[in-house]
């Protein structure tokens, strides 16, 4: 499909969508038109008589009601605020080279240049229409730029769509690669400028926004009843034009891709490999590195820079990626920004909001953390907080300290206490002694019933009874902590966080066009199962014992997240031994691993 063929297909589908809009308008006006004819017939003396009078006085109120309903639907569709993607607006003063590159690309493609540029903390790029009046100038106190001295920017309604670029692309890709990747996206401004396509898109977006308005909760009974009708009409129209709107967008994409063939086509093939690599590194960085920090109430302030480190490490480990490290000598695309550090910090905060649901700005329980501080401020803190939670649960269960431990009789924070409790041998010794493992229950435990069966029963089916009980109680304890926590990412964030430069005055959502109540919009992982929680807490306790008794240190692995360093090298083979203890109750492999590294499980550890 050529450029003209794709554009023609898009225009024809846009006309079909507009025809559906016209038909809906005609249906709404039809009763009024018949009523006008009847009234005109009465005035001219042509349509008279009892029958005509009855029809006239019956149809006229119906026509008025239909007109009022149609006007209400049209008003909601016209005034409903279309969804706008959460982005970091970048004005031209903050990135003149980037704007220059995009305009040059638009000139080479012979299409209108995008009206503005914004960044998203994801590995994707697209054009977004923000011509709706709700996307107009922000309030006077809001700022629309990343770097510009904090000066408010009042922007007019843009004609061309806004170009949204994935922020990881700017840090990982070279300038030429970024230009090649953006060529098909920028080429989409050509078909978007056609009046029929623009009108069809506005109509579909308005219907979609009207459905969202009608579905919003917390409304009065009267407004809820009225909006139910609006939602029904909007959904009916959306179903009628859904296929045609999808075909229109396919035609626009085909025309844009065909037009972009003439610009950097060979380089685009190579650049697409970098897109996949950037996505893999970004996903790994978020799930393995950023997520543990977010759960601790800290947000890494240089996520995009971390992508480069993660992908460089992947290039070093993976033979398939050997050629990618040589690219680092070329000019990175982030050099097109005047203040890449401020942009990275703002994008990192927005990523934390989208993927985890954190607050809009730094605070005592939501503070930024640099990569150099990550091992001490996040890894060490995370392990000690988890270890403290593990021992609180053991205290509540009345688990006695390990034999020969120097800890208090109430239960000391030693690794031996945990290992002895989870080992099957301890169960057999207890049975031989004629005692139950929970003879000494704390007052808190006596008031708390046994945890009821939950969805984790199947997950815990392959574990020992003691592991299953401990895992269920850990899950319940964590749920209670999250339920009683203040509205912040974590109630366990350190109270004395190091000061850090806050992001620039610009907020990621200057017009507040997306609902904070729906955060996180894109949760990274489902909630951890009880088995995973037990494995995490047991691993944390082992790492605390290693740090306090064997001189190990917390570390950061760019691909795997928090890691334990012993003699400067990363420890390995710990996870299988932890699972053996949880699933089989066999602590022999783990104790052998501890002895090999010189870790003393009988020594008390410092808890968070």
């Amino acid at each position: 499909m050529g450029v003209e063929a794709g554009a023609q297909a898009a225009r024809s589908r846009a006309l079909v969508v507009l025809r559906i809009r016209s038909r809906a308008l005609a249906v709404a006006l039809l009763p009024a038109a018949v009523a006008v004819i009847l009234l005109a017939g009465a005035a001219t003396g042509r349509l008279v008589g009892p029958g005509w009078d009855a029809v006239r006085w019956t149809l006229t109120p119906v026509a008025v009601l239909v007109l009022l309903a149609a006007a209400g639907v049209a008003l909601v569709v016209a005034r409903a605020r279309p969804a706008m993607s959460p982005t970091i607006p970048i004005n031209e003063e903050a990135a003149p080279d980037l704007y220059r590159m995009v305009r040059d690309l638009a000139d080479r493609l012979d299409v209108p240049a995008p009206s503005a540029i914004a960044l998203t903390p994801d590995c994707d790029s697209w054009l977004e229409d923000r011509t709706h009046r709700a996307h107009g100038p922000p309030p006077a106190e809001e700022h629309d730029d990343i770097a510009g001295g904090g000066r408010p920017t009042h922007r007019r309604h843009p004609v061309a769509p806004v170009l949204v670029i994935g922020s990881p692309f700017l840090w990982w890709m070279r300038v030429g690669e970024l230009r090649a990747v953006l060529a098909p996206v920028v080429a989409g401004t050509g078909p978007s400028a056609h009046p029929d396509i623009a009108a069809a898109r506005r109509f579909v977006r308005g219907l979609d926004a009207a459905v969202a308005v009608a579905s919003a909760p917390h409304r009065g009974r009267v407004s809820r009843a009225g909006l139910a009708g609006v939602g029904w009409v909007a959904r009916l129209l959306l179903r009628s034009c859904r296929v045609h709107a999808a075909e229109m967008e396919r035609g626009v994409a085909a025309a844009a891709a065909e037009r972009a063939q003439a610009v950097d086509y060979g380089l685009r093939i190579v650049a697409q490999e970098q897109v996949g690599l950037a996505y893999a590194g970004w996903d790994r960085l978020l799930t393995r590195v950023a997520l543990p920090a977010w759960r601790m109430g800290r947000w890494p302030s240089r996520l995009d820079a971390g992508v480069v480190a993660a992908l460089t490490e992947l290039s070093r480990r993976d033979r398939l990626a050997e050629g990618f490290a040589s690219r680092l000598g070329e000019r990175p695309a982030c050099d097109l920004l005047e203040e890449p550090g401020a942009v990275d910090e703002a994008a990192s905060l927005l990523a934390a909001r989208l993927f985890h649901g954190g607050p809009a700005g730094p605070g005592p329980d939501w503070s930024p953390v640099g990569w150099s501080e990550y091992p001490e401020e996040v890894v060490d803190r995370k392990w000690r907080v988890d270890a403290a939670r593990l021992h609180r649960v053991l205290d509540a269960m009345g688990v006695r300290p390990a034999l020969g431990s120097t800890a208090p009789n109430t239960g000391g924070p030693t690794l031996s206490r945990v290992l002895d409790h989870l080992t099957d041998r301890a169960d057999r010794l207890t049975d031989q002694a004629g005692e139950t493992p929970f003879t000494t229950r704390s007052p808190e435990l006596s008031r708390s019933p046994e945890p009821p069966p939950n969805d984790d029963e199947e997950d815990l089916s392959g574990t020992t009874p003691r592991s299953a009980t401990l895992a269920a109680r850990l899950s319940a304890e964590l749920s209670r902590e999250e339920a009683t926590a203040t509205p912040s990412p974590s109630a366990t964030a350190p109270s004395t966080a190091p000061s850090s430069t806050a992001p620039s005055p610009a907020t990621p959502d200057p017009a507040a066009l997306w609902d904070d109540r729906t955060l996180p919009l894109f949760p990274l992982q489902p909630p951890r199962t009880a088995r995973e929680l037990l494995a995490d807490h047991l691993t944390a306790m082992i790492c605390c014992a290693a740090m306090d008794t064997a001189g190990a240190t917390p570390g950061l692995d760019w691909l795997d997240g928090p890691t334990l360093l012993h003699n400067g090298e990363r420890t390995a083979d710990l996870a299988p031994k932890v699972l053996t203890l949880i699933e089989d109750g066999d602590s022999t492999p783990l104790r052998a691993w501890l002895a090999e590294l010189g870790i003393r499980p009988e020594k008390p550890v410092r808890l968070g």
Side-chain angles (χ1 to χ4, degrees):
M1 182 182 292
V3 178
E4 292 301 327
Q8 182 60 36
R11 287 194 292 267
S12 63
R13 292 294 182 170
L15 289 175
V16 175
V17 174
L18 296 179
R19 205 171 294 132
I20 293 174
R21 184 185 66 176
S22 301
R23 289 172 184 169
L25 180 60
V27 170
L29 295 177
L30 182 60
V34 175
V36 169
I37 293 174
L38 293 176
L39 292 174
T44 58
R46 293 178 180 274
L47 302 177
V48 294
W52 288 110
D53 289 341
V55 173
R56 189 165 29 248
W57 292 112
T58 301
L59 188 59
T60 300
V62 173
V64 172
L65 290 177
V66 171
L67 278 179
L68 290 176
V73 172
L75 184 64
V76 172
V77 171
R79 294 180 61 87
R81 192 169 59 191
M84 188 180 82
S85 304
T87 56
I88 308 293
I90 304 293
N91 66 4
E92 190 165 357
E93 289 78 8
D97 291 341
L98 181 60
Y99 271 81
R100 192 177 302 113
M101 185 196 75
V102 171
R103 290 197 184 106
D104 177 69
L105 186 59
D107 290 340
R108 295 174 63 185
L109 294 168
D110 194 23
V111 296
S115 61
I117 298 176
L119 299 184
T120 179
D122 202 358
C123 292
D124 199 3
S125 297
W126 66 89
L127 293 172
E128 185 166 293
D129 190 340
R130 298 180 180 179
T131 56
H132 193 274
R133 60 175 59 89
H135 301 161
E141 67 272 14
E142 297 288 352
H143 301 280
D144 205 12
D145 58 309
I146 288 294
R151 293 177 284 106
T153 302
H154 301 282
R155 48 185 170 85
R156 300 181 182 275
H157 300 304
V159 176
V162 174
L163 174 61
V164 181
I165 306 173
S167 62
F169 292 164
L170 287 175
W171 268 259
W172 176 245
M173 288 186 172
R174 309 301 98 180
V175 174
E177 295 170 347
L178 180 65
R179 183 175 58 246
V181 168
L182 293 180
V185 183
V186 175
T189 60
S192 300
H194 193 277
D196 292 338
I197 295 177
R201 283 176 165 174
R202 284 196 301 270
F203 177 59
V204 173
R205 283 198 307 271
L207 293 176
D208 183 69
V211 171
V213 170
S215 303
H218 311 300
R219 294 188 181 276
R221 184 176 302 176
V222 176
S223 60
R224 189 164 59 246
L227 288 174
V230 174
W232 180 82
V233 173
R235 290 186 184 93
L236 178 63
L237 292 175
L238 271 178
R239 285 194 297 268
S240 301
C241 61
R242 177 185 302 161
V243 175
H244 305 290
E247 290 296 329
M248 178 185 69
E249 297 300 338
R250 289 192 187 97
V252 170
E258 188 68 24
R259 184 183 294 272
Q261 296 283 343
V263 178
D264 297 332
Y265 179 71
L267 183 58
R268 188 176 309 120
I269 298 176
V270 178
Q272 287 299 329
E273 298 178 359
Q274 305 305 319
V275 171
L277 194 63
Y279 183 86
W282 180 250
D283 180 72
R284 192 98 174 209
L285 186 75
L286 292 181
T287 56
R288 303 294 182 89
V289 178
L291 188 58
W294 294 339
R295 286 172 174 163
M296 294 299 300
R298 309 297 298 273
W299 51 277
S301 58
R302 293 294 186 270
L303 280 179
D304 291 309
V307 172
V308 180
L311 293 177
T312 303
E313 178 66 16
L314 178 63
S315 302
R316 186 184 65 83
R317 296 184 189 180
D318 191 354
R319 291 183 179 181
L320 297 177
E322 285 180 354
F324 296 135
S326 61
R327 304 167 43 261
L328 301 180
E330 305 174 16
R331 185 189 183 195
C334 62
D335 281 357
L336 301 174
L337 303 173
E338 290 293 307
E339 296 184 15
V343 176
D344 194 1
E345 191 163 356
S348 300
L349 179 57
L350 181 57
R353 302 194 68 196
L354 295 181
F355 299 113
H356 185 68
D365 292 333
W366 188 239
S367 55
V369 59
W371 293 127
S372 60
E373 306 164 344
Y374 186 94
E376 291 295 331
E377 299 293 335
V378 175
V379 180
D380 181 85
R381 177 71 178 176
K382 172 185 181 299
W383 286 340
R384 297 194 185 278
V385 168
D386 286 352
R389 185 183 297 113
L390 176 61
H391 280 279
R392 283 201 306 272
V393 172
L394 292 176
D395 290 341
M397 293 172 60
V399 176
R400 292 167 298 182
L403 297 177
S405 172
T406 59
N409 292 332
T410 57
T414 65
L415 179 58
S416 292
R417 181 192 191 194
V418 184
L419 298 182
D420 290 349
H421 175 70
L422 293 179
T423 303
D424 274 345
R425 180 180 57 83
D427 291 338
R428 289 194 294 269
L429 291 176
T430 302
D431 294 339
Q432 293 172 2
E435 301 176 355
T436 63
F438 309 125
T439 51
T440 349
R441 291 184 180 267
S442 66
E444 179 184 355
L445 181 65
S446 63
R447 294 192 299 268
S448 303
E450 292 292 324
N454 52 40
D455 295 336
D456 288 325
E457 285 184 351
E458 183 177 353
D459 174 68
L460 295 172
S461 60
T463 62
T464 63
R466 287 196 172 190
S467 295
T469 302
L470 182 57
R473 289 186 173 273
L474 278 172
S475 181
E477 175 69 15
L478 189 61
S479 298
R480 280 193 295 269
E481 291 180 8
E482 293 175 350
T484 58
T486 56
S488 64
S490 173
T492 59
S495 57
T496 56
S499 60
S500 177
T501 305
S504 62
T507 56
D509 48 334
L513 298 177
W514 46 290
D515 191 356
D516 284 1
R517 293 172 298 179
T518 61
L519 293 175
L521 297 180
F522 313 103
L524 291 178
Q525 291 179 337
R528 289 173 290 179
T529 63
R531 182 199 294 259
E532 292 171 341
L533 284 175
L534 177 57
D536 290 346
H537 284 71
L538 182 55
T539 301
M541 185 63 201
I542 294 171
C543 293
C544 289
M547 291 187 294
D548 292 347
T549 67
T553 57
L556 167 62
D557 186 278
W558 291 110
L559 297 177
D560 295 327
T563 186
L564 182 68
L565 301 179
H566 187 263
N567 294 329
E569 296 182 359
R570 178 184 173 185
T571 58
D573 302 329
L574 176 58
K577 297 171 177 58
V578 171
L579 291 179
T580 299
L581 176 61
I582 293 174
E583 296 173 354
D584 304 330
D586 183 8
S587 63
T588 303
L590 181 57
R591 291 182 185 274
W593 185 87
L594 297 174
E596 181 182 353
L597 269 65
I599 301 173
R600 304 185 62 181
E602 75 279 2
K603 292 291 186 179
V605 301
R606 178 173 60 87
L607 301 180

